[in-house]
């Protein structure tokens, strides 16, 4: 074996070794525990977050209903500034909520929609206009992204804590080495540095 070759000793912190110190064993357990907690904690956090997002989507879908609304006044014409991006305008509409009560509000309607024309609006349990529920593809995306971000954050937090713990152990190890060198030099009657 040439002098340029490097020998890698794997798992040295777990093997019997006269040079191994207690801090090396503690560091080995910190690393093992950190990775296990990061993987399992990240997985658990991701699954819990995905489940929470999925329940929120289902709750939104359960609380929303599509009803027919009648345009009360003639709707204005298209706005020149928004003509290219959105062809709908705000118009006054009236609808009957699922509980039988009548409501009035503004909703997005076709430009110049005549009074008496009907449109579909989404309402919540109290009968107020709400955004339409998310589609299946949007629900899947929200669930997947929510779970992935929560898992990454939880795992990253554990790994960051593990890194800080290892940094503290390294500082302790260096201080211990300094003290040991000081003791050895003093015993020999000389001082280094």
């Amino acid at each position: 074996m040439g002098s340029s070759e490097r020998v890698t000793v794997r798992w040295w912190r777990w093997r019997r070794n006269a040079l191994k110190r207690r801090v090396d064993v503690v560091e080995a357990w910190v690393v093992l525990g950190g990775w296990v907690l990061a993987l399992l904690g990240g997985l658990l956090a991701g699954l819990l977050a995905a489940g929470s997002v999925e329940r929120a989507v289902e709750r939104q879908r359960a609380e929303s209903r599509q009803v027919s609304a009648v345009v009360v006044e003639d709707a204005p014409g298209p706005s020149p500034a928004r003509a290219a991006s959105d062809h709908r305008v705000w118009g006054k509409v009236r609808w009957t909520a699922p509980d039988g009560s009548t409501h009035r509000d503004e909703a997005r309607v076709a430009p110049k929609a005549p009074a008496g024309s009907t449109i579909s609006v989404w309402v919540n349990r109290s009968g107020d206009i709400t955004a339409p529920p998310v589609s299946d593809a949007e629900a899947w995306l929200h669930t997947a992204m929510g779970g992935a971000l929560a898992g990454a954050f939880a795992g990253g937090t554990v790994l960051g804590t593990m890194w800080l713990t290892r940094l503290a152990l390294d500082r302790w190890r260096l201080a211990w080495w300094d003290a040991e060198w000081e003791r050895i030099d003093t015993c020999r009657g000389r001082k280094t540095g």
Side-chain angles (χ1 to χ4, degrees):
M1 178 164 61
S3 62
S4 65
E5 291 184 35
R6 187 174 177 182
V7 176
T8 302
V9 180
R10 299 190 189 278
W11 308 102
W12 70 271
R13 286 184 175 94
W14 298 101
R15 295 181 182 168
R16 287 188 171 265
N17 184 343
L19 299 176
K20 181 174 67 175
R21 296 156 304 209
R22 181 175 292 163
V23 71
D24 297 327
V25 175
V26 169
E27 183 179 15
W29 282 107
V30 165
V31 170
L32 178 65
W35 279 105
V36 168
L37 280 176
L39 292 174
L40 293 179
L43 179 63
L44 181 63
L47 290 174
L48 288 174
S52 177
V53 170
E54 193 171 350
R55 285 188 299 278
V57 166
E58 290 303 318
R59 186 173 41 249
Q60 180 198 28
R61 287 180 176 169
E63 292 176 355
S64 299
R65 288 202 172 34
Q66 193 171 22
V67 296
S68 291
V70 177
V71 177
V72 178
E73 298 175 1
D74 290 343
S79 168
R82 297 184 136 260
S85 63
D86 188 5
H87 65 282
R88 296 170 39 152
V89 295
W90 289 102
K92 294 184 181 183
V93 296
R94 178 185 71 236
W95 69 95
T96 303
D99 63 1
S101 61
T102 302
H103 294 266
R104 285 178 176 245
D105 202 353
E106 288 190 344
R108 303 291 281 171
V109 298
K112 298 185 179 181
S117 60
T118 60
I119 63 165
S120 293
V121 293
W122 286 92
V123 296
N124 59 19
R125 285 187 177 172
S126 61
D128 299 325
I129 291 180
T130 186
V134 296
S135 68
D136 288 339
E138 290 171 326
W140 181 87
L141 180 65
H142 289 195
T143 302
M145 290 303 294
L149 288 173
F153 181 76
T157 301
V158 171
L159 291 176
T161 303
M162 179 184 73
W163 179 77
L164 289 174
T165 303
R166 289 186 69 195
L167 187 63
L169 288 172
D170 281 343
R171 287 185 179 192
W172 183 84
R173 188 177 10 244
L174 289 173
W176 184 78
W177 281 348
D178 284 345
E180 216 31 50
W181 278 111
E182 182 72 27
R183 187 181 63 80
I184 290 171
D185 280 350
T186 304
C187 288
R188 291 185 179 169
R190 53 191 155 137
K191 282 286 230 187
T192 60

